[in-house]
Amino acid sequence: MTDIQESGPGRPRVVILGGGFAGLSAAKALGRAPVELTVIDVTNHHLFQPLLYQVATATLAPSDITVPIRWVLRRHRNTTVLMANARRVDVDRRVVVVDDGREIPYDYLIVATGARHSYFGHDEWEPIAPGLKSIADAYDMRRRFLLAFEEAEKATDPAERAALQTFVIVGGGPTGVELAGVIPDTARDALREDFRHIDTLDTRTILLEGGPRILPAFPEELSEKARRDLAALGVEVRTDSIVTRIDEGAVYVGDERIPTRTVFWAAGNAASPLGRSLGAPVDRVGRVLVAPDLSLPGHPEVFVCGDLAAVRMDDGARRDGPAARSWQSPGAKDAPAAPASPASTPGAQGPPPKFVPGVAPAANQMGALAAKNVLRLLHGEPTLSFEYRDKGNLATIGRHRAVADFGRFRVAGRAAWWFWLFVHLLYLVGFRNRASVLVQWAYAYFTYQRGVRLISGEMVRGSETAGRAALAAASGAPATATSSGGAGAAGGRTARPEPVGAAKAGAPR
């Protein structure tokens, strides 16, 4: 194995794993610091996840909510960006091992590799019920969503047609609620005049939530308001409905069988498996139980941020001031651990702990603090505890329908919807993305249409390949595969998958 990064003269080496909200926030904060900074991500882009579902439902293009990480950090001369997959971290040797076996040494490490969807022990459901965490997921979901109507148009059996026009969303959190709200809007307003053999008003949307109410993180009155708004859109909201089985033709809730060909998963998350390689205690979803200053217990030079970090609201996230430990030099491998979080103490009594939520503002704040603590360590100063500043919760349901919780101040309806639009535009990275999203939203708002109704993927490629073979057989000519943009035997062009990396929570309708 060989190192692929050499430290600059006299400069500490800082490695950031992940280019999401936490990782990018940390990278920006260290961009002009006296360190050699390396940012590693498995993709080449930063993704604005709160609007990802709008890509999945044909409102936005992938490039509207992504930006190249290299471009964001282009003016930071101390920063190197590597597109690689971090396989594990050796905290004793202080190296990150990437997918090709190479090692990247560090003096300080910030781990912010996020989370993926969890199927609660039923990973076999994933090919049938995709989740939504990446651009690839959004492409797949958009293809399934639009293709369901195309297949229904061709179907001759009424039962098959009804199953194709039934969409089931599993999970009643913000992602599930927002997906459930956009489907009937799209079917009613954007697609109705486009088909001849189906009525898109017959589209059935079912939202399944295992708990007693949707949007459980919101106050009960706002959850009930969201339920009524979804019902007004024609969505069947079913609470206390635990999915027991999913197959190619149906979703099962207990003994009830719901015929459907399209299932979307929004029911749970599991932290990146990289967290377990750090050797620290993790919670039941794989999040690392960090010290109050976000450091890894026993390794003050390692910080964990974003969805990968479990930070207690009543411990690590309170206004405590500096964390109770002193700076240790990068070479002190046996540095004393920070005070352990009560969450990791066996036999702890009392109410269930509350953790900092996995939302973008929290990730941004964690990334900024991790970077600040690295700099404090460099200057021999004690690190600071994480103080979560709750900026509120927002969820949109449909046109002029949204809910917002700001603690004592709660709002729903038009005011919340317009505020949701403004906040998400404000948090997008880059003027180009803000302008593009604003144009797409304006188009959707005034025309009731969706501007990115492109189907791509294996089914399309397979259909075109079969079509070329049939034409070739009829003419006696060999079936020829075309290069990108070139003409084949039938004079057409090959369907190509959209590139991953070209590009949550409700579009104007």
Side-chain angles (χ1 to χ4, degrees):
M1 297 182 182
T2 59
D3 295 349
I4 64 173
Q5 173 194 351
E6 297 295 333
S7 177
R11 288 183 142 193
R13 300 162 298 186
V14 180
V15 174
I16 298 175
L17 302 181
F21 289 107
L24 199 61
S25 179
K28 288 180 177 179
L30 293 171
R32 290 176 173 80
V35 299
E36 289 293 321
L37 179 63
T38 301
V39 179
I40 303 173
D41 195 277
V42 71
T43 72
N44 76 327
H45 57 270
H46 168 75
L47 171 64
F48 189 75
Q49 274 198 357
L51 293 180
L52 184 59
Y53 100 103
Q54 295 195 8
V55 175
T57 51
T59 299
L60 297 177
S63 57
D64 292 335
I65 63 168
T66 56
V67 61
I69 298 172
R70 294 182 185 280
W71 181 84
V72 176
L73 304 176
R74 67 194 184 280
R75 292 194 174 92
H76 298 176
R77 308 312 300 174
N78 69 335
T79 303
T80 298
V81 177
L82 298 178
M83 183 175 169
N85 189 6
R87 293 295 187 185
R88 63 184 178 87
V89 177
D90 189 329
V91 293
D92 293 323
R93 296 176 53 231
R94 297 192 181 188
V95 295
V96 175
V97 181
V98 296
D99 42 13
D100 60 0
R102 291 181 292 178
E103 296 181 346
I104 303 174
Y106 65 83
D107 296 314
Y108 298 94
L109 177 66
I110 298 174
V111 186
T113 48
R116 287 287 292 173
H117 30 266
S118 170
Y119 290 85
F120 308 110
H122 290 280
D123 291 345
E124 70 275 11
W125 292 351
E126 185 169 7
I128 307 168
L132 190 59
K133 286 292 184 182
S134 68
I135 286 296
D137 295 336
Y139 277 135
D140 184 30
M141 194 172 286
R142 186 181 70 186
R143 178 180 60 82
R144 293 173 188 240
F145 173 57
L146 297 175
L147 197 60
F149 293 100
E150 299 294 340
E151 295 298 320
E153 177 79 350
K154 297 185 294 183
T156 56
D157 178 44
E160 175 69 11
R161 182 175 290 174
L164 285 164
Q165 287 188 253
T166 298
F167 297 86
V168 176
I169 297 99
V170 183
T175 300
V177 166
E178 292 152 358
L179 279 170
V182 75
I183 289 173
D185 263 359
T186 303
R188 180 185 64 239
D189 298 327
L191 302 178
R192 193 177 185 195
E193 296 182 359
D194 295 3
F195 294 90
R196 299 296 174 262
H197 302 293
I198 61 172
D199 185 350
T200 59
L201 290 182
D202 294 335
T203 299
R204 186 183 179 198
T205 307
I206 303 172
L207 177 62
L208 302 177
E209 165 57 36
R213 61 188 177 95
I214 61 172
L215 298 180
F218 285 72
E220 191 166 350
E221 64 187 79
L222 293 182
S223 295
E224 176 59 21
K225 170 62 175 173
R227 187 198 63 78
R228 293 197 304 268
D229 283 344
L230 286 172
L233 291 171
V235 178
E236 300 175 35
V237 179
R238 302 188 186 184
T239 54
D240 296 310
S241 298
I242 298 176
V243 173
T244 55
R245 178 183 166 193
I246 302 176
D247 60 32
E248 292 286 353
V251 170
Y252 295 81
V253 178
D255 295 330
E256 181 186 5
R257 182 180 185 272
I258 305 173
T260 179
R261 297 294 183 271
T262 311
V263 185
F264 297 144
W265 188 266
N269 294 317
S272 163
L274 192 67
R276 297 185 184 276
S277 77
L278 299 174
V282 297
D283 66 6
R284 62 184 179 83
V285 296
R287 296 181 303 177
V288 179
L289 296 168
V290 297
D293 64 349
L294 305 181
S295 68
L296 192 70
H299 290 275
E301 76 284 355
V302 179
F303 296 89
V304 184
C305 305
D307 290 346
L308 189 58
V311 184
R312 284 187 56 149
M313 293 281 284
D314 56 351
D315 178 55
R318 66 187 180 212
R319 290 184 176 274
D320 284 337
R325 73 165 166 76
S326 301
W327 173 79
Q328 296 289 325
S329 68
K333 282 194 173 184
D334 298 321
S341 168
S344 61
T345 304
Q349 301 297 319
K354 290 182 63 177
F355 291 95
V356 174
V359 294
N364 282 331
Q365 293 170 36
M366 287 187 198
L369 181 74
K372 180 182 290 187
N373 279 341
V374 167
L375 295 177
R376 291 180 70 87
L377 289 174
L378 288 173
H379 290 92
E381 300 173 356
T383 55
L384 302 175
S385 291
F386 179 66
E387 301 173 0
Y388 175 51
R389 294 171 176 83
D390 189 351
K391 297 186 178 182
N393 285 328
L394 296 167
T396 185
I397 296 101
R399 176 184 288 254
H400 299 157
R401 304 173 191 267
V403 292
D405 173 30
F406 302 106
R408 296 181 181 178
F409 178 64
R410 301 166 183 172
V411 64
R414 287 176 179 262
W417 187 73
W418 286 110
F419 185 72
W420 180 93
L421 297 178
F422 171 76
V423 167
H424 283 72
L425 278 176
L426 186 67
Y427 273 88
L428 276 166
V429 177
F431 173 78
R432 182 263 175 204
N433 283 14
R434 295 189 189 103
S436 181
V437 168
L438 183 60
V439 168
Q440 291 288 357
W441 282 356
Y443 173 77
Y445 185 80
F446 290 110
T447 68
Y448 292 83
Q449 296 298 309
R450 299 292 181 265
V452 197
R453 285 168 47 189
L454 174 66
I455 299 176
S456 63
E458 289 186 10
M459 285 189 166
V460 177
R461 293 198 303 275
S463 297
E464 293 200 356
T465 300
R468 287 196 301 272
L471 285 172
S475 63
T480 305
T482 63
S483 61
S484 61
R493 295 198 301 169
T494 55
R496 301 168 55 204
E498 296 177 65
V500 174
K504 168 169 150 168
R509 301 165 173 73

